[in-house]
Amino acid sequence: MAAVQPLLCESRSKWLDAHYDPVAGLNTLSSCIALADLHGDGDFKMVVGDMGHGPYNMKLKVYKGTARMSENALLDLPTGVAAFLMDQNEPRTPAIAVASGPFIYVYKNLRPYFKFTLPAMEVNALEKEVWDQAKEDKIDPVTLKEMLESIRDKAEIPLSVRSLRFLMLELQEMEAFVNTYKQQPLKRQTVITCMGTLKKNMADEDAVCCLVIGTESGELFILDPEAFTILTRVSLSSVPTLLDVTGQYDIEYRITVACRNGNVYILRRDSKRPKYCIELSAQVVGLVRVQKNIMIGTSHETLHGYSQKGKRLWTVTLPASIMTMSLLEQKSRGIQAVLVGLKNMEVHLYRDKNLLSVINTPDIVTGLCFGRYGREDDTLIMSTQGGGLLIKILKRTAQFEDKDTAPGPPTGQSIKLNVPKKTKLYVDQTLRERENAVAMHRVFQMDLYRLRLSAARAYVKALDASLAPVSSTMQEPLTLNAAVQGIGPQFKLILNLQNTSVNRPSMQLLISFLYDEKLYKIKPAFFKVPLLVPGLNYPIETFVECCSDKGISDIIKVFVLREGKSTPLLTAHINMPVSEGLAAA
């Protein structure tokens, strides 16, 4: 928590609190929030697919500023909302696509424009035959239930929604249900689970886009933006739940799909099967593409970074469960990062594995959307679990600095080295090492042991003779450092003495010098050391005068002794510099 506190203060200075309505009544997700210039006047509106709080309260709401502008009723739960351009006609106003059940409702100028229905699926032949018998009153509802249960357990083709709903009914409700639906043709319809947009043939911001949808039947569809015909159809091994699309349909594109089996698939143009597969140990709860990397959030409170080819680059452990994820793209500065809404009422901003900012929220965030809203370019819109609406604006002076909070190697370690090509000498040396690996290892171990033995003997000898600047642990735990100042003939000698014990002071210590009296004079040459408190550094100063004019120097030995004993506790050798004053004379 201590490491997060400065980030909290930093985030308050980066964001402006524009609006907060705790009773806005919004029950939505990140996939159901879109920002679009619906009237071509430069004033961006917020379009929200509200799932309501009951089976009949689903609505499409449009907000302008902080007020609700309009709303339309939806027949089923919305699973995705997207703003896209259908054609090149003027004025260039985007359409709104709302995925709900097996349908995509397209709105133009906030009015219903078109309804696309997913193609019907093959009906189980045995199921159809059983319902035909019920239609002709050949079997009663109880027999119908038994036969449908038998088909459900053995058939490869799943039952239709009508049959599944019939099997959930109580005995007294079955007859009325059969009489209501037995005259209607049996259909098996899938539903839409996720939706995204793909540029048609241009990378411009106002280019025409195709719709990409994933279905409960484990299929992906790419729809033509004008005729709403199916351009591409791809089958997956599981049900898609999250989509991320990049590229252009006519040139090259990549579709990253997270499925319910815990795998993430990467599809490319003209590929009937996924090109790459990322296998995860937990369910995927968030999927965002940041430049060429894929950010994946899992239910194990982890955020992973993967390359375009499915290679894992890094992993960050989060302090709480992930509720939602979204992309933050500041186009004026070319910054891309990922927003992660957590269950502990925080929103974290990551660039790769580096934490940039932390935003505290009054409630758990379930929906995130960053972009242009109204006249502001960098606006963050958040919907909360309690139905609140929170709007923040990124300051124009905000600066993001990478802070690597994840444990492990530093960021620079992941940079690839420019390794040169293998030379013939390198190859020959490698072959020699392979052939003589055992003998070379034995020689290396022998030399290593000899080096360790020599170092240990020298260390023990220095401790026994007290010739080291660090005393033995059996004696007083002391360290001694010496420094010489001046150019001569007068030098200043500074001795730094420190007691390295934990709680035991050192007392009754003396310092003396051994030197050539023909070359140097030291005043004073003998000190009585005060009581040494553990952990403190005690500087002791004296002056050395050079008596020789021959331009030579010598070693001065410093001894630390205890009163009444002649054996020194530790010793330091000082290499005196040549006296510049006398040498010049």
Side-chain angles (χ1 to χ4, degrees):
M1 287 300 295
V4 177
Q5 288 299 329
L7 288 174
L8 296 178
C9 300
E10 184 184 353
S11 64
R12 294 191 188 101
S13 63
K14 286 181 171 60
W15 301 91
L16 295 174
D17 296 327
H19 175 68
Y20 176 51
D21 183 5
V23 291
L26 282 181
N27 182 19
T28 187
L29 303 173
S30 299
S31 60
C32 295
I33 304 176
L35 300 173
D37 184 8
L38 299 177
H39 301 100
D41 55 359
D43 188 7
F44 279 63
K45 314 294 190 303
M46 177 175 61
V47 185
V48 181
D50 188 2
M51 294 183 288
H53 299 279
Y56 308 106
N57 295 329
M58 293 77 72
K59 293 181 180 181
L60 179 67
K61 298 180 179 180
V62 180
Y63 283 81
K64 178 181 180 181
T66 59
R68 188 169 61 199
M69 184 176 168
S70 65
E71 64 178 32
N72 294 297
L74 297 175
L75 300 179
D76 206 343
L77 283 173
T79 55
V81 174
F84 70 108
L85 286 168
M86 299 172 54
D87 48 45
Q88 298 285 350
N89 299 335
E90 296 291 341
R92 305 298 303 280
T93 55
I96 300 297
V98 182
S100 179
F103 308 109
I104 293 180
Y105 300 98
V106 181
Y107 294 83
K108 203 83 182 285
N109 296 323
L110 298 180
R111 295 179 180 179
Y113 177 79
F114 184 78
K115 184 177 80 170
F116 171 80
T117 306
L118 289 175
M121 304 177 66
E122 181 184 359
V123 178
N124 192 312
L126 295 175
E127 179 189 5
K128 187 176 184 305
E129 183 179 348
V130 168
W131 276 104
D132 288 341
Q133 293 179 13
K135 179 180 178 180
E136 298 171 2
D137 296 329
K138 293 182 179 180
I139 55 176
D140 57 354
V142 177
T143 307
L144 176 62
K145 179 181 179 181
E146 294 175 355
M147 296 177 71
L148 287 176
E149 287 177 344
S150 176
I151 295 171
R152 182 183 61 182
D153 297 337
K154 299 178 181 179
E156 295 181 358
I157 301 177
L159 295 179
S160 63
V161 176
R162 181 201 296 183
S163 299
L164 294 174
R165 190 177 298 174
F166 173 74
L167 294 176
M168 295 170 59
L169 297 176
E170 299 293 336
L171 186 63
Q172 60 272 17
E173 300 173 345
M174 290 182 180
E175 186 173 356
F177 184 89
V178 172
N179 293 332
T180 303
Y181 293 101
K182 67 180 181 180
Q183 300 297 332
Q184 299 180 10
L186 186 64
K187 294 181 180 180
R188 191 165 75 90
Q189 192 80 46
T190 186
V191 295
I192 300 171
T193 57
C194 51
M195 181 174 65
T197 59
L198 171 64
K199 305 289 185 183
K200 184 73 167 62
N201 49 25
M202 297 175 63
D204 298 341
E205 190 174 347
D206 58 347
V208 175
C209 297
C210 304
L211 289 178
V212 183
I213 57 176
T215 66
E216 188 70 31
S217 58
E219 291 182 307
L220 276 181
F221 296 96
I222 301 179
L223 306 181
D224 183 83
E226 295 187 70
F228 287 96
T229 55
I230 298 175
L231 299 176
T232 302
R233 185 172 187 169
V234 181
S235 296
L236 300 172
S237 57
S238 183
V239 179
T241 56
L242 296 167
L243 273 178
D244 190 277
V245 187
T246 183
Q248 297 93 47
Y249 178 78
D250 293 340
I251 303 172
E252 180 61 46
Y253 61 84
R254 292 175 185 263
I255 302 177
T256 309
V257 191
C259 297
R260 284 193 192 146
N261 60 356
N263 294 343
V264 177
Y265 301 99
I266 302 174
L267 297 93
R268 300 181 65 177
R269 189 174 186 269
D270 298 331
S271 61
K272 300 298 181 182
R273 297 179 180 178
K275 185 72 174 176
Y276 305 102
C277 175
I278 302 172
E279 296 183 359
L280 300 167
S281 59
Q283 287 294 324
V284 180
V285 295
L287 177 68
V288 175
R289 176 183 288 271
V290 180
Q291 295 175 354
K292 292 187 177 181
N293 294 338
I294 303 167
M295 313 278 273
I296 301 174
T298 67
S299 57
H300 283 178
E301 300 180 3
T302 54
L303 183 66
H304 304 282
Y306 284 85
S307 67
Q308 292 186 124
K309 295 185 178 180
K311 179 182 178 182
R312 187 167 69 177
L313 304 175
W314 47 263
T315 298
V316 174
T317 302
L318 301 174
S321 301
I322 299 176
M323 300 299 294
T324 185
M325 289 172 56
S326 183
L327 176 67
L328 182 146
E329 183 177 9
Q330 194 178 13
K331 297 179 181 178
S332 59
R333 298 183 182 178
I335 296 175
Q336 282 192 349
V338 62
L339 291 158
V340 184
L342 303 178
K343 199 172 183 179
N344 62 350
M345 295 189 294
E346 290 180 353
V347 177
H348 287 200
L349 180 63
Y350 286 93
R351 180 192 291 155
D352 292 333
K353 66 174 181 178
N354 302 317
L355 180 62
L356 301 182
S357 178
V358 177
I359 304 173
N360 268 350
T361 57
D363 196 359
I364 299 175
V365 174
T366 57
L368 289 167
C369 185
F370 183 86
R372 183 178 175 86
Y373 184 44
R375 303 286 178 177
E376 286 292 335
D377 288 330
D378 304 319
T379 306
L380 177 60
I381 296 172
M382 296 177 277
S383 63
T384 64
Q385 195 174 53
L389 176 62
L390 187 62
I391 302 175
K392 289 181 177 289
I393 299 174
L394 183 63
K395 288 184 178 180
R396 293 179 175 87
T397 58
Q399 296 289 337
F400 292 114
E401 295 181 0
D402 292 351
K403 290 181 175 59
D404 190 357
T405 59
T411 308
Q413 189 168 325
S414 60
I415 300 174
K416 292 184 178 180
L417 298 176
N418 186 16
V419 181
K421 294 183 178 179
K422 296 178 181 179
T423 61
K424 186 177 183 301
L425 178 62
Y426 173 81
V427 175
D428 294 342
Q429 184 72 10
T430 304
L431 293 175
R432 174 178 167 272
E433 290 177 359
R434 287 180 181 176
E435 294 172 357
N436 306 293
V438 177
M440 293 177 68
H441 180 70
R442 286 175 179 171
V443 173
F444 169 76
Q445 290 292 332
M446 180 75 70
D447 293 341
L448 181 61
Y449 289 146
R450 286 177 178 173
L451 178 62
R452 288 176 177 174
L453 179 60
S454 300
R457 284 175 174 172
Y459 180 67
V460 171
K461 184 178 179 181
L463 290 179
D464 291 341
S466 297
L467 295 176
V470 180
S471 64
S472 171
T473 55
M474 299 299 293
Q475 306 177 39
E476 290 288 338
L478 303 173
T479 60
L480 177 64
N481 296 317
V484 180
Q485 295 180 354
I487 61 175
Q490 195 85 4
F491 297 97
K492 185 177 183 180
L493 184 61
I494 302 175
L495 304 177
N496 293 304
L497 192 61
Q498 186 177 12
N499 181 2
T500 57
S501 67
V502 178
N503 53 11
R504 188 179 65 180
S506 296
M507 59 186 72
Q508 297 180 347
L509 299 180
L510 304 173
I511 292 180
S512 66
F513 299 92
L514 179 62
Y515 56 93
D516 189 349
E517 295 183 354
K518 296 179 182 179
L519 297 179
Y520 299 107
K521 292 181 180 179
I522 301 179
K523 294 181 180 180
F526 180 81
F527 294 97
K528 192 170 183 179
V529 180
L531 184 142
L532 300 180
V533 178
L536 296 182
N537 184 43
Y538 289 83
I540 300 173
E541 299 177 356
T542 186
F543 291 93
V544 179
E545 183 180 354
C546 182
C547 303
S548 174
D549 58 352
K550 297 179 181 180
I552 60 176
S553 62
D554 197 7
I555 296 175
I556 296 179
K557 296 181 181 180
V558 184
F559 300 100
V560 179
L561 310 96
R562 183 178 297 281
E563 289 185 9
K565 294 186 178 181
S566 59
T567 304
L569 298 176
L570 70 160
T571 305
H573 291 191
I574 305 171
N575 292 315
M576 296 298 296
V578 177
S579 176
E580 297 291 339
L582 292 177

